[in-house]
Structure formats: C-alpha cells, structure tokens
Amino acid sequence: MPEREPRLVLPKMLGETITTYCPDPDDLLLSSLYRTHEWIIMERLSEGPCPITPEDFNQGMGSVSTTGTYLCRCIDDPGFDLAFICIYKEIPLDGTEFNNLENRKKQATIESFVELDALKKFTETECTATPKLLGYQINSQGVNDVIPRGYIIHLIFEKVRGEPLEFEEEILSKITGFDMAIEIDPEYEWTDINFVIYDLVLLSSNYEKYVPTANDITTDKYEGWRW
C-alpha cells in the first residue's frame, strides 16, 4: 500500500496581511529591533507537515506541527527588501484530524520555540552570519481552528542569498535553519576537539590513511583542520 502523503493545512494566503508588534515597547533594545510592522504575503513557497501518531506523542516526541514558508514584504516601511515568513502551526495527531473539537483541544501544548530563541539571540547580539529577525508573533489558534488554543507562530526574517559558497568568489552567505539549535553555556571552554564532535571540520590530512574512503577525499597543501 503506498505511503499516504501528509495533508497540507496552511492556506496560500496571497494578498493577506500579518502584523507583528514589539514584544516590549519599554525595552530600548527590543523596541529598536522589533518595531510594529504590517506584512503582505506575496507567494507561498512550501509547507512541511510533520505528523506523528498518538503512540509517538505519548512516548515524548513532542507536539505536532506544520511549517509554512512564504515570501512577503513590509507595507509600512519601503526601506525593507523582500523577507521570508515562517509559520509554525500546531496540528492534530495523525489519525485524529476529524475528531471533535473537544478532543483536538486537549492536544494543545505549550512549546519552547527553539528557532525563535536562536534567531533572537543572533539578532540581538548583531551576528552577521545569520539572517536578521525582523519581527515575530506568538498566538493561540481560534476556538474553531484545527487545534483550539494550540500555538501558531510567525517568524519574519530577512531574505538572504541561498547559493552555496564557492571558493573562487566571495559571496556573503548566511546560515539558516535553527529548529534544533542548542544554546551553549557561555562558561563552557571551547576546544578544537569540538570542531570534530559537531562535524564542523574534516580530519587532518595526516589521518587520511586511516579513512577507508581516503581516495575520495580532496586533499590540499595545508596541515591541520580543513573546512
């Protein structure tokens, strides 16, 4: 029996507007970074539902959500270029999509939003290697939505180049995708071995003779870590 395709939940939303507000107008930093703006949806780019079964949920796999990516632009500030908006919406457990409202309401969860926390951290510390977070909203779904009182999050961040970095030319690339980010204790002492642990480097060319696929590895003239 062929595998069932995940059901798409989010609408196209073309021409619809979303307003983001400053989370704390009294905070000088937050009020300068996340001002109130109105955004209009230009195009839906993708949607990726991540369904899980009730059994998986009971074993601690967390909530179920779908992630939609859209292209948008700011209506009230022409100084902004096109931006991306990611919508994270809690959806019913697999097989319960047509259960009654009360049953689906019980599935609502409280989540910590890792990607939002990561983007906020990078933006507020002026990191230049990641897209700038332009605004965000954390809301609850309506009483007649797919998960009454379930979460729905809007993240808006700058549209940056997505081409792979070529060594022959200088390209300003930025890193995206932080839904599995982990904040490292600032007191933690970083050592070179962590580059290997987190797969950030290849082994030194001195160790290639111990690698079964050494002939498939492009070598260079440098010793030590190779990026």
Side-chain angles (χ1 to χ4, degrees), residues 2-223:
E3 191 171 321
R4 179 167 60 88
E5 289 287 332
R7 181 181 290 105
L8 300 183
V9 176
L10 299 173
K12 291 184 177 180
M13 299 178 64
L14 299 182
E16 295 188 26
T17 59
I18 292 172
T19 303
T20 55
Y21 302 92
C22 178
D24 185 357
D26 295 327
D27 186 294
L28 292 179
L29 177 62
L30 297 182
S31 61
S32 65
L33 292 175
Y34 314 120
R35 299 175 181 175
T36 298
H37 287 298
E38 191 171 11
W39 309 85
I40 185 169
I41 303 295
M42 309 294 292
E43 180 183 357
R44 182 172 75 172
L45 302 176
S46 65
E47 182 180 352
C50 298
I52 66 172
T53 65
E55 293 76 19
D56 291 334
F57 177 78
N58 291 333
Q59 292 181 16
M61 287 193 65
S63 63
V64 195
S65 65
T66 187
T67 304
T69 304
Y70 298 79
L71 193 64
C72 66
R73 66 175 176 84
C74 187
I75 297 176
D76 53 84
D77 189 342
F80 278 114
D81 292 325
L82 290 174
F84 288 126
I85 176 169
C86 279
I87 300 177
Y88 299 87
K89 184 173 184 177
E90 190 170 17
I91 59 176
L93 297 169
D94 196 30
T96 69
E97 296 89 346
F98 300 106
N99 288 11
N100 61 48
L101 279 174
E102 193 60 33
N103 177 274
R104 287 184 278 121
K105 181 179 179 180
K106 293 178 181 178
Q107 297 181 27
T109 59
I110 299 175
E111 286 287 313
S112 58
F113 308 114
V114 175
E115 185 160 17
L116 172 59
D117 292 341
L119 283 172
K120 285 178 61 180
K121 186 77 170 181
F122 292 134
T123 299
E124 292 165 18
T125 55
E126 300 182 345
C127 178
T128 59
T130 57
K132 182 180 179 182
L133 181 65
L134 303 175
Y136 63 93
Q137 282 294 109
I138 302 175
N139 295 314
S140 297
Q141 298 178 38
V143 294
N144 294 313
D145 215 325
V146 292
I147 295 288
R149 307 304 182 193
Y151 62 80
I152 180 167
I153 311 161
H154 301 81
L155 301 185
I156 299 176
F157 51 92
E158 64 177 345
K159 183 178 182 293
V160 293
R161 296 191 64 154
E163 291 82 6
L165 181 64
E166 300 290 344
F167 292 106
E168 291 78 12
E169 58 179 324
E170 183 178 352
I171 297 178
L172 296 178
S173 297
K174 298 199 177 184
I175 305 169
T176 60
F178 300 100
D179 55 338
M180 297 182 68
I182 299 175
E183 185 173 5
I184 298 176
D185 186 339
E187 302 298 323
Y188 179 76
E189 183 179 353
W190 187 273
T191 62
D192 282 350
I193 192 62
N194 288 309
F195 289 113
V196 177
I197 293 174
Y198 292 102
D199 293 328
L200 297 175
V201 293
L202 296 175
L203 288 175
S204 165
S205 56
N206 293 331
Y207 292 93
E208 286 187 356
K209 60 184 177 181
Y210 302 111
V211 181
T213 57
N215 292 333
D216 298 326
I217 298 176
T218 302
T219 59
D220 55 38
K221 62 182 179 180
Y222 300 104
E223 298 292 335

